[in-house]
Every structure is written in C-alpha cells, then in structure tokens.
Amino acid sequence: MAAYLSVALYLGYRVYNNYSEESSVFLLHLVYQVNFGLLVLFLSKAFYIWRQLLLYHKNKFLQIAWDWFELLLAATLLLTIFNFNYTSYIFLPLLALMGFYILFLCTNMKWVAYLTFNNKSRSLVLLGAILLSCYIFFRFFKNTANSPNLVIDYSDVGFLLLAMLFVSLYTLAAFLVSLFSLPTSGVFEQKSEDLLNFQRLSQSIQQGQSEAQVYDMLFESTIKASDANAAWFELIRNGEPQISHLLNIDAPQTTRIRHLLLAYNIQNIDYINNNLSRNPGFRELALPWKSMAILPIKSTKHLSGILYLLKDIEGGFDRETVNVLRTFTSQTMLTIENLRLINESLQNERYKEELKIATQVQESLIPKTFPTDSWFEISTHAVAAKEVGGDFYDFLQLSESRIAIIIGDVSGKGISAAFHMAQMKGIFHGLMQQDMPPSEFMKQANSALSRCLERTSFITSALYIIDYRMKGFMFARAGHCHTLYYNSMMDDVFYFQTEGLGLGIIRDKNYANHIREMYYDYNPEDVMVIYTDGIVEARNKANEEYGEDRLLYMLKQTYHLEAEDIKWAIINDLEDFTGPGNLYDDQTLMVIKFKPAQPKK
C-alpha cells in the first residue's frame, strides 16, 4: 500500500509539472519527504514480518545469528548519524559481513514447508507485490537523486540501503523457494493428512468414538491416502461378511469380484494386484479398474473386516502407499481391540455393581436375628461362595406358641439366585399367613414357582413348624438335606430319612406324590441341626467330602453344649477339614436346641 501511494504521489507531481509553467521546489521536497516516510513504513513492516517468519521453528544458532545481524545493522545507522562515508574501504569488511549475513539468512525458509498448495499460490502473489514495491521505491529514489532542486538526498543512507537489500533478497528467495516447491506441495499435504488421520485413529478412544465411527475414519483415510477410485468395506459378523461402506461400486460388482477371489482361494489375506487386465478371471469380469488392493483388518485371533480398494490405472498401489495403508489397518485393529477391552471393562464394572446390589438384596432377605424364647435357642451361620449365593433361611411367628422356620438352596448363583430367593421369601410369607401344614406349603409353593422359575432352575427346601405348647414339630422336605437330630431321652443322634423332591422339578399335580410330612415330639435338651449341601459336600485338598457321618459325629461330641457353641464347633471342624480359602459352595448351618424351661403364663 505504501509503494502504491508513492507511485500515486509521484505521478500526481509529474502531472502538475506538465501543466504548470514552472516546477515547484516545495512540492518536490514535499513528495520526496512523504515518499521517504512511506519507504520507512514499508521497510519497517516488511522487516518485522520477515523477522517473524525467518525465526519460525528457530534454533539457538539461528537466534544468535539474527541478533548479530540486528546489531550490525544498527551499527550502520551510527555511520549515518555521524555522517561517515559508508563506501570507504575502512568499512568495506563490515559491509561484506552484512552481505554474508543477508545471504545466510535467505537460506532459512522453514516456514515455506508448512504452507499448503493454496497458501503458496497466494503467497506468490503477495511476494510478487513486495518485489514490485521494492522496485518502485528504488526507481523513485534513484530517479530523484540527481535532481538539482533536491537539497536532501536519502539514497546514500547505508542503513536504509542494507534494510532494502535484506527485504528485497529475502523476498526474492522466498518467491523462488515457494515457486519451485509448489509442485511437491500435494505430497507434503498428503503426508500431513495421513499423520493427522493416524492421530485421529489413535485418539478415537479418548474421544469416546464407537467401532462404526472408527471404520468410517478408516474408509475415508485409506481412500485419501491411496487416491482410490472405488472401494468397499466388509464387516465380519458371525463369520459372514457384511458390506458396510461402498464408493463408486455396486453390490453386484462386489459379489462378482468376491466370487472370483474365492475361486482363486484368496481369502482374508493381504493381496495387491497392479495389473488386473492381465489376469484372465478379472479380464472376463470387464471391470473398469486395473489395480486392486485387499487389506484385512485382523489381529492374531480375530478378523474384524476386509477393505477393498480399486484404481483405474495400472501400478496404482506402490510400496509406499501399501505401507501407509497397512499402517492404517494396523492402527485401526489396535483401536478396535482397545475399544472392546474398554467396553468389556465397563460391562464388568456394571456387573460388579449389579452383584453388589444383589448382595445387598440377599443380605436384606436373610434375617439377622431370631426371636428369643425360653423354649429353645437358635444359632445360625451362613457364608456365600461367591458375591451372591443361593442359600437362604427365614422364619415366621405363626402364633404365640408356634413358629415356622424355612431353609432352602436355589440352583445357580449370582443375580438370578437373589431374584429366586426373593420369590421364595414372598411365597413363604404369603402362604404361611394361612397357617398351612408343611406338606401343603410345599405343594402350593411348587405350583407358584412352576409359573416363574426357568425350566433349568429348581429350589430345594425344608419347612419346620415348631409348637411349644405341644412340645413337638412337624416338617416336610423338598429335596433338601436330611435333618440331623439328637434325642436326649434315647441319647441318640440320627438323621430323619424322609422323602421329598425339589420345588420346580415336577410342575404338575404329580408333585404331591413326592412330598411327605412328619411330626415329632421333642424333649428338653434335644438338638436339631439344619444345613445346606455346602456343609456335607465340602471337600478338602484330597477331594474328600466332609460328609453326613462326620457331621453326625460332631453332634455326638457337642450336643451337651449351647446352640452357639455347637454351631462353632461344627464350623471350626469344617474349616479344619477343608483348609483356609477352600470354599466352593454356599454354606448355611442352623442349630436349634430345645430347653427344659417352661414358658411364663
């Protein structure tokens, strides 16, 4: 802009002189001084811009060289202030050094490499404008230097000449470098685009992208990197390919190509053919493409997809292009596997959270304390092999002198077991409100569970109704473990060998034929031991079962103790037998000891 204003002023001055009879000295000095100001403005602006670009991605050596150049340039300004003749041979070494510095600085054009093709095109126009501006100023001051009316001449100011020389030479060098690097700009832009796509693929996980988005990015990136004319991508679902992306090719063409590749036994492997027209099979297909690349997206164990690229020229896929494409597919596979690992981790976290909730639900279903009574004492022990077990027990006070106690074992573990436990608890409390006998309860419970249990699930259970006043209890067993009992009057320990079938195994009226009910009068100091199969089927390191006989023996040794002590004696013996940390099934144990004391009236 400063140069063009200078031209406008000079032309205006020439026009005035042509139409005026006498030339105006004042006007000449005015135009000269204004143009000098515009020149200073132009050099300052250009000098500042080139300084910024020259020091782009600088190193220490370049920074030091530039600092010295500015010092030397400032030194030439002192020569002007003190009116020294800068053309004297005394100062020729300084001028030669400045010239060397300017040529050296003109070799630092790193910023040009970062320009795109469009940026370089625009920069050539701007550089040409700067060169033209330099010429305009040089021409103006050269033509007016010999004017006899000019009192002041700035054309011999060394500082300005050196600054103009630097601006002109650096602009010319930048113009030439930009011009000659213009044809190769596309290559650098493609490399930059490839690196950017690699970065996007590697950051897909942090950006929370899905597998589909990663495949979209792969498809677009490989087409740009290879400059393919047609392409399609197949996802492998349950071992079968499914086309997810298509470019300039239809489904029938992909089917014909795939059938031909199968005939050639080319499946799920890297395949490059840069001359399809020489292959008889491809020639018969009459395809418009002459080069083909097949790149599977696979790891050592898993095939995720297959990428097909086609070009309409021979030799379309050179080694460098194929290496870039393979890098894309490898990065994609790595990203996909990482995404799957993250998803699995999230699912595991959700599963753990669900298990935590199921554990809390299970704990809320099992009563923490039993009612205390002078007729009997109860001690319980329950431990789950996993976060959520399948054992449960509960009680319901039917009347002042009668209590119902249930124990059970749900097939399976985990969340489904907790759900079935909740169902069984609801059935127990719902049916026993009617105060029905144990055998009837089992029939009704089997009928209810038959409508909600899966076909593969069942529940074993035993229900006891203890009557204090009658000094007896009745019970029924639905496939649950036999009840261990100590009779104080006979001083005998034995199992109640009663029949019973698990709930949900037979889901019709025939189930009633498999349930038996038993009534038994108890004596003071009698002990009843109720348990789940995790107790008697516990195994030691030698794979030996704890067994009913050892449990019976333990009761013989401990029946005289309190219920709490009997329980711990059995549990301690069980742990001694299995060893520490050798728990493979849920263990529930309930010890009931009848007391001789009479209830208060």
Side-chain angles (χ1 to χ4, degrees):
M1 182 60 71
Y4 304 139
L5 285 176
S6 174
V7 171
L9 284 173
Y10 184 69
L11 291 177
Y13 171 73
R14 293 293 298 271
V15 170
Y16 174 81
N17 284 340
N18 290 337
Y19 288 96
S20 176
E21 295 180 356
E22 295 182 358
S23 59
S24 173
V25 176
F26 173 75
L27 189 59
L28 173 63
H29 281 87
L30 179 62
V31 171
Y32 190 84
Q33 293 294 339
V34 170
N35 278 345
F36 177 74
L38 293 174
L39 173 64
V40 173
L41 179 64
F42 167 76
L43 289 179
S44 302
K45 186 69 174 177
F47 193 87
Y48 174 76
I49 293 174
W50 289 143
R51 180 184 184 278
Q52 296 297 110
L53 293 176
L54 190 147
L55 295 179
Y56 186 70
H57 279 220
K58 63 185 176 183
N59 53 36
K60 185 177 181 180
F61 175 74
L62 181 61
Q63 181 66 59
I64 293 174
W66 176 261
D67 293 341
W68 274 104
F69 173 72
E70 288 185 330
L71 288 174
L72 292 174
L73 191 62
T76 61
L77 186 60
L78 293 177
L79 297 178
T80 303
I81 294 174
F82 293 104
N83 200 23
F84 284 107
N85 184 5
Y86 69 92
T87 59
S88 172
Y89 68 92
I90 299 176
F91 301 104
L92 285 179
L94 175 62
L95 297 176
L97 182 61
M98 290 297 295
F100 169 77
Y101 259 119
I102 291 173
L103 291 176
F104 167 73
L105 294 174
C106 288
T107 61
N108 288 277
M109 297 279 175
K110 292 180 181 179
W111 56 274
V112 177
Y114 293 91
L115 298 179
T116 63
F117 182 86
N118 293 332
N119 291 335
K120 284 181 182 177
S121 300
R122 289 197 297 270
S123 69
L124 286 175
V125 176
L126 294 175
L127 291 169
I130 295 174
L131 286 174
L132 179 61
S133 299
C134 291
Y135 173 75
I136 289 172
F137 280 116
F138 176 77
R139 183 68 180 273
F140 171 78
F141 285 100
K142 183 176 181 298
N143 291 338
T144 56
N146 299 322
S147 175
N149 296 327
L150 194 64
V151 177
I152 301 174
D153 182 13
Y154 295 121
S155 61
D156 57 350
V157 178
F159 174 77
L160 293 177
L161 291 176
L162 284 173
M164 177 65 84
L165 180 64
F166 167 71
V167 170
S168 302
L169 287 181
Y170 197 83
T171 304
L172 179 61
F175 182 86
L176 294 176
V177 171
S178 299
L179 180 64
F180 290 119
S181 64
L182 195 61
T184 59
S185 296
V187 177
F188 289 105
E189 287 180 36
Q190 183 60 52
K191 296 298 180 188
S192 177
E193 183 71 19
D194 291 344
L195 288 173
L196 185 60
N197 288 328
F198 286 138
Q199 185 182 17
R200 288 172 180 165
L201 279 172
S202 61
Q203 291 179 344
S204 298
I205 298 175
Q206 288 85 348
Q207 295 169 355
Q209 293 182 325
S210 62
E211 287 191 23
Q213 290 173 314
V214 174
Y215 288 132
D216 290 343
M217 198 181 304
L218 168 71
F219 194 68
E220 295 173 3
S221 302
T222 50
I223 288 174
K224 289 181 181 177
S226 63
D227 198 20
N229 303 107
W232 85 90
F233 181 69
E234 294 176 350
L235 278 173
I236 306 301
R237 304 286 190 195
N238 300 321
E240 294 296 327
Q242 297 178 1
I243 296 177
S244 60
H245 298 72
L246 278 174
L247 174 69
N248 299 332
I249 189 171
D250 53 35
Q253 287 177 316
T254 63
T255 303
R256 290 160 55 198
I257 294 174
R258 193 188 304 113
H259 286 168
L260 181 61
L261 293 172
L262 288 174
Y264 287 159
N265 198 24
I266 300 173
Q267 301 178 62
N268 309 334
I269 60 173
D270 279 11
Y271 176 72
I272 307 296
N273 190 330
N274 278 320
N275 202 332
L276 295 177
S277 58
R278 294 184 183 179
N279 185 287
F282 284 105
R283 197 163 51 238
E284 289 180 3
L285 295 179
L287 299 172
W289 305 287
K290 297 179 180 179
S291 300
M292 181 178 190
I294 303 175
L295 299 164
I297 315 299
K298 65 179 180 180
S299 63
T300 54
K301 297 180 179 179
H302 191 260
L303 176 65
S304 298
I306 304 173
L307 178 66
Y308 298 82
L309 299 169
L310 295 160
K311 298 183 76 171
D312 53 9
I313 57 173
E314 292 184 356
F317 298 98
D318 54 67
R319 178 182 298 178
E320 184 178 355
T321 301
V322 172
N323 288 337
V324 171
L325 295 176
R326 284 174 177 158
T327 307
F328 270 118
T329 56
S330 300
Q331 182 62 42
T332 300
M333 192 65 241
L334 182 63
T335 303
I336 293 297
E337 288 190 338
N338 287 335
L339 282 174
R340 289 174 179 170
L341 288 174
I342 290 175
N343 289 333
E344 289 177 4
S345 176
L346 292 175
Q347 288 177 356
N348 288 335
E349 288 297 323
R350 283 196 290 269
Y351 180 69
K352 288 180 180 177
E353 188 64 25
E354 290 173 356
L355 276 181
K356 183 179 178 182
I357 295 172
T359 303
Q360 293 173 349
V361 171
Q362 185 188 40
E363 289 178 355
S364 67
L365 294 176
I366 297 177
K368 302 296 182 293
T369 57
F370 273 83
T372 57
D373 198 281
S374 58
W375 281 96
F376 64 90
E377 58 186 32
I378 295 179
S379 181
T380 60
H381 170 82
V383 59
K386 295 182 178 180
E387 287 83 355
V388 182
D391 290 358
F392 71 95
Y393 61 86
D394 202 355
F395 73 93
L396 181 66
Q397 194 75 43
L398 301 176
S399 65
E400 185 180 357
S401 63
R402 299 173 72 242
I403 185 172
I405 299 174
I406 190 172
I407 188 171
D409 186 358
V410 178
S411 62
K413 300 288 188 294
I415 299 173
S416 62
F419 179 69
H420 295 324
M421 284 173 58
Q423 288 178 316
M424 192 63 192
K425 185 181 181 74
I427 291 171
F428 171 66
H429 284 267
L431 294 179
M432 290 311 294
Q433 295 296 329
Q434 305 173 31
D435 198 3
M436 60 180 60
S439 58
E440 183 62 23
F441 169 80
M442 293 301 179
K443 296 172 189 175
Q444 297 289 340
N446 183 72
S447 177
L449 290 171
S450 298
R451 300 186 186 94
C452 55
L453 276 182
E454 299 91 352
R455 283 288 175 183
T456 56
S457 299
F458 64 92
I459 298 175
T460 65
S461 181
L463 176 63
Y464 306 84
I465 298 177
I466 301 174
D467 191 324
Y468 314 152
R469 296 189 186 280
M470 300 297 294
K471 299 179 62 177
F473 62 88
M474 56 181 174
F475 67 97
R477 184 177 72 93
H480 200 72
C481 301
H482 296 294
T483 304
L484 179 62
Y485 196 82
Y486 167 72
N487 188 307
S488 59
M489 184 173 290
M490 296 185 295
D491 193 21
D492 187 21
V493 179
F494 57 90
Y495 286 99
F496 286 110
Q497 299 292 340
T498 56
E499 295 182 1
L501 190 63
L503 302 170
I505 296 177
I506 296 177
R507 304 191 175 194
D508 53 31
K509 294 181 179 178
N510 292 327
Y511 180 79
N513 300 325
H514 300 274
I515 291 296
R516 295 289 181 271
E517 190 173 273
M518 185 173 179
Y519 185 86
Y520 195 83
D521 293 326
Y522 65 79
N523 305 298
E525 301 297 332
D526 281 7
V527 179
M528 184 164 59
V529 178
I530 306 168
Y531 54 93
T532 58
D533 56 2
I535 298 291
V536 293
E537 294 179 2
R539 295 178 178 272
N540 59 14
K541 293 182 179 179
N543 203 30
E544 297 170 336
E545 278 191 357
Y546 186 76
E548 291 182 341
D549 292 342
R550 183 156 180 164
L551 182 62
L552 184 146
Y553 173 79
M554 284 303 300
L555 183 58
K556 283 183 177 179
Q557 302 300 314
T558 59
Y559 64 84
H560 58 281
L561 301 176
E562 299 293 327
E564 181 76 4
D565 296 332
I566 296 173
K567 179 196 73 175
W568 283 117
I570 295 174
I571 294 303
N572 292 335
D573 183 64
L574 181 64
E575 291 179 353
D576 290 341
F577 176 79
T578 59
N582 197 17
L583 182 64
Y584 295 103
D585 196 4
D586 308 330
Q587 294 178 350
T588 300
L589 179 69
M590 187 181 301
V591 178
I592 302 173
K593 187 166 187 177
F594 299 101
K595 292 183 177 180
Q598 298 298 312
K600 296 179 181 179
K601 297 183 179 179

